[in-house]
Amino acid sequence: GSVFLLVTIQRLRGWAVLRALGASTAHVGLAVIAEVLLVVLAASALASAALVAVTAASSATFPVRAAPSLVAATAAAMVVGSLGSALLPVRRISRLDPASALART
């Protein structure tokens, strides 16, 4: 959550320009949510691929196994948690006054 908040703060000027040019709050908020989903799903895919590789390379003396349902549940929990943590940056953007944000930066 703090990562997405920091990214939002760093891009505050860009969000302010978009809002000043007429982009709706919903449009900008959906862009943030789409970015969060993209990052989390890509991370989940990479982690799952690494788990498959480790499972394939494991031996009988040190077996590594993971149930697909556990992997799917973990990925779903990550998506839900990340979307929940994205609410703060989206809320911050929705309250953004473009004129004051551009004057500060």
Side-chain angles (χ1 to χ4, degrees):
S2 61
V3 170
F4 295 122
L5 181 60
L6 288 173
V7 168
T8 301
I9 290 170
Q10 289 176 344
R11 290 205 243 154
L12 205 54
R13 185 174 177 86
W15 299 124
V17 169
L18 285 173
R19 294 285 309 280
L21 291 174
S24 69
T25 302
H27 181 76
V28 176
L30 286 175
V32 171
I33 290 172
E35 184 177 347
V36 167
L37 279 175
L38 179 69
V39 168
V40 171
L41 292 176
S44 296
L46 287 173
S48 297
L51 180 61
V52 167
V54 167
T55 302
S58 69
S59 65
T61 58
F62 189 75
V64 176
R65 294 185 194 356
S69 61
L70 177 63
V71 174
T74 303
M78 286 176 32
V79 168
V80 169
S82 296
L83 287 176
S85 68
L87 292 177
L88 184 61
V90 169
R91 183 173 162 227
R92 185 179 192 126
I93 291 170
S94 70
R95 293 183 175 186
L96 178 67
D97 176 37
S100 64
L102 289 172
R104 279 187 302 205
T105 56

